Amino acid sequence: MKVNKTLWRWSRLLHIYAAVALLLLLLFFAFTGITLNHPSWFVGEAQEQEIKLQLNAYHANQGVHFSPDQIGQIEQALGLRFSQLSIEDDGDVLFFDAQMPGGFASGELEMESGFITASRSDFGVWAWMNDLHKGRHTGFAWKLLLDVSSVLILLFSISGLILLLPNRRYLKPALYLGCLTAVLCAIALFSR
């Protein structure tokens, strides 16, 4: 099949530079794909941390309005950003929790005294990497990186196909391999 030389040249450049940009990301996603498929191979013990904290200058009637100093205390004690916390007020106690890659934190604040009792659980580096792979409990920057890498993977794949089209020697075996892959995916998807 004949392909326009300009299109072929641009596809070649795009394919090379997308491959360079994606190298570490593809290695990361390939490795964490294995850790996600076989979690029992990479089991780690959860590290539990109990946290007790008296907020500075807390007043019983301040409710959920924290000073910057109090927010800093909470962030330092829990090891996360205050904006990650989901807070629920029941009148006497503030309940809070936060999900993060590889763990979570939860606790409560006694509204009368300003005393916080909390716990933080960390499930280890494997859980952290798996959550990053899935984009679970991550921030805007990581989600943007996932979107950009997805676009680069699409461009890498399409440019590779364009490079393959004029090469008759490899086109037919590649089409057979593509069809075989599609059949194997369908069998894996529909078999139990």
Side-chain angles (χ1 to χ4, degrees), residues 25 28-29 129 131-136 138-147:
L25 282 170
F28 171 78
F29 287 119
M129 288 187 351
D131 281 350
L132 288 178
H133 179 107
K134 294 184 269 185
R136 187 167 67 173
T138 58
F140 173 76
W142 186 259
K143 289 186 187 319
L144 181 63
L145 178 70
L146 291 178
D147 290 342

Side-chain angles (χ1 to χ4, degrees), residues 11 34 36 46 55 60 67 81 86-87 94 97 100 110 124 138 141 145 155 160 171 174-175:
S11 295
I34 295 169
L36 281 167
L55 286 179
S67 71
R81 289 185 312 276
S86 171
I87 300 173
L94 280 179
D97 64 50
M100 58 204 120
E110 295 173 11
T138 58
L145 178 70
L155 292 173
L171 181 60
L175 288 175

